[in-house]
Amino acid sequence: MAQSDQAFVTLATNDSYAKGAMVLGESLRNHKTTKKLVALIGPHVTEPSRAVLNKIYDEVRVVDVLDSGDTAHLVMMKRPDLGVTFTKLHCWALTQYSKCVFMDADTMVVSNVDELFDREELSAAPDPGWPDCFNSGVFVFRPSDETYNKLLRFCAEHGSFDGGDQGVLNSFFSDWATADITKHLPFIYNLSSVAIYTYTPAFKQYGGNAKVVHFLGKTKPWGYTFDPKQRRIRGDVQEASAHPSFLLEWWTIYSSLVVPMLQQEYGDQPFL
Ligand code: UDP
Ligand code: MN
């Protein structure tokens, strides 16, 4: 039974990130989540991609920050550079849910992670590049109009020190590093390849417990091509952005579950 006031939430502003969202959603379903699945999409996501997202997600909501209320509109006018960031902050406006877990479209679960809903806002795992900051690819939050408006105003006044949502969120939830250790998610809930290659022995020791893989960085899984007959990624895998076995797992879900749905919507275009 889906617990209807709790949801996993992701975001895709274009068809490429939508592929990531499709794999993420399938991975959550494969591991039998009991929570709702919500995809926030930008107005540029095309109709066939929306149709596939609708098959996987309980709710697909188009968010255009420009039309979404006064504060957002004004703030957006002042800081057009933070467009995608504002779209992500929009998850706080999902007030029909009491608690949510946001997951980047470039993440994938490799086991059930419903226990994340036992945590409070704002829970997140350390960023591998600067561990006193949390990584905003996976976080637990409570939707609230009040928090949403505060975040937007904060954004307009202070901007983002990294140009994205992670900078804003770390400045806003600035006591994350010190206030409450229960808000520090274990690293296995947001495991990125950067960490695998900077501390390989730790990955060998603990990597088997990974629950969420995050393909952070420039090259995303959908940026590679896959040979379905040999079940191999074509060409060189840039190891800094993707561990080969996790990348293969992403492509296995994509080629076996997502591609057939895409082909149904788009006609038989090649997607591999
Ligand atoms: N995103 C998006 N469209 C974009 C860029 C980002 O929808 O053009 C969303 C998507 O959910 C993505 C998240 O914002 O996973 C954060 O961006 P990204 O994962 O590329 O950043 P990284 O994790 O590599 O720092
Ligand atoms: Mn990411």
Side-chain angles (χ1 to χ4, degrees), residues 180-243:
D180 181 354
I181 195 68
T182 66
K183 294 183 180 177
H184 284 226
L185 297 180
F187 202 61
I188 51 170
Y189 288 99
N190 187 346
L191 180 67
S192 56
S193 295
V194 184
I196 299 174
Y197 291 97
T198 48
Y199 197 2
T200 307
F203 177 67
K204 289 200 173 120
Q205 180 75 5
Y206 304 116
N209 304 326
K211 287 175 184 275
V212 179
V213 178
H214 187 182
F215 299 96
L216 79 83
K218 231 166 87 188
T219 318
K220 301 303 185 192
W222 53 88
Y224 292 94
T225 54
F226 180 68
D227 179 345
K229 284 213 183 75
Q230 301 206 40
R231 300 189 34 74
R232 269 198 353 219
I233 308 295
R234 294 199 179 97
D236 283 340
V237 173
Q238 271 185 309
E239 296 199 324
S241 60
H243 188 275

Side-chain angles (χ1 to χ4, degrees), residues 10-14 17 84 88 102 104-106 165 214-217 220:
T10 192
L11 163 69
T13 62
N14 56 45
Y17 279 93
V84 174
K88 186 153 165 184
F102 182 89
D104 268 8
D106 62 343
D165 58 281
H214 187 182
F215 299 96
L216 79 83
K220 301 303 185 192

Side-chain angles (χ1 to χ4, degrees), residues 141 188 243 245 249:
F141 70 101
I188 51 170
H243 188 275
S245 71
E249 190 161 340

